[in-house]
Amino acid sequence: MNNSTTVRRLSRMALAVTAVAGIGLASAPSASALTKDGALEAYEFGLYYNSGQLGCVFDLANSDWNFSGDTFWKVSGTCNGIGQSTNDNTASYRNRDNETWWVYTDADGDGAEGTLPAGYAGDASSTFKNEISSAFPYDAH
C-alpha cells in the first residue's frame, strides 16, 4: 500500500469519526434548551404553582441557591401563578431529570431537606408546601 492510499483511508476514517461525533452532539439536549423558560423539558426539575403539577412551572436544569427574585411563568399564554414569586410559593413538583433533586425550605440549602428521585411527580408535603426556597441536583449539605 502506498502513502497516498494510506492518507486517503486515514482521511476517510477521520471524516467518519467527525460525522458520528457531530450526530451525537446534535441529538444531545442543548444548553439553551435547559433554562428557566417556563417549559418543563427532559433533564429538568420543575416546581409548580398549584398542586397536581398544575399552574405555571419554574423549571431548573442547575442549582438555584435562592428563589428570591425568581418567578413562575409560561412560554406562551397564561397560567395560574404567572409572575408570582417562586420563593415559598410551590405546591407540587416533577423531576424529569435522571438524577435525584434536593429541595430546601430556606435559601442556600438550609432548613428542612427533601429529596425527589428521578421521574417523581407529586404534591409537596405540609413541610414543603409553599416553603421551598432553594433546589439542587445534589445534596447541598
Side-chain angles (χ1 to χ4, degrees), residues 1-2 4 12 21 29 31 34 38 41 56 59 77 82 107 123 126 138:
M1 190 177 336
N2 65 32
S4 64
R12 278 188 237 144
L34 305 176
E41 299 162 321
C56 291
D59 56 315
I82 196 164
D123 292 343
S126 59
Y138 56 85

Side-chain angles (χ1 to χ4, degrees), residues 13-79:
M13 189 172 9
L15 182 60
V17 168
T18 302
V20 169
I23 290 168
L25 289 174
S27 64
S30 69
S32 64
L34 305 176
T35 61
K36 299 174 186 178
D37 63 2
L40 185 60
E41 299 162 321
Y43 306 105
E44 290 185 330
F45 175 70
L47 299 114
Y48 289 86
Y49 183 75
N50 293 118
S51 297
Q53 297 77 55
L54 299 172
C56 291
V57 65
F58 177 67
D59 56 315
L60 295 167
N62 298 302
S63 304
D64 192 325
W65 289 82
N66 188 344
F67 290 172
S68 181
D70 293 326
T71 60
F72 290 100
W73 65 291
K74 190 173 183 175
V75 177
S76 65
T78 62
C79 54

Side-chain angles (χ1 to χ4, degrees), residues 61-113:
N62 298 302
S63 304
D64 192 325
W65 289 82
N66 188 344
F67 290 172
S68 181
D70 293 326
T71 60
F72 290 100
W73 65 291
K74 190 173 183 175
V75 177
S76 65
T78 62
C79 54
N80 289 336
I82 196 164
Q84 297 294 313
S85 174
T86 306
N87 191 51
D88 293 336
N89 218 2
T90 296
S92 61
Y93 21 66
R94 182 174 178 204
N95 186 355
R96 293 199 60 203
D97 199 350
N98 293 333
E99 305 293 328
T100 296
W101 273 73
W102 282 257
V103 294
Y104 298 88
T105 56
D106 294 328
D108 303 319
D110 289 330
E113 173 188 82

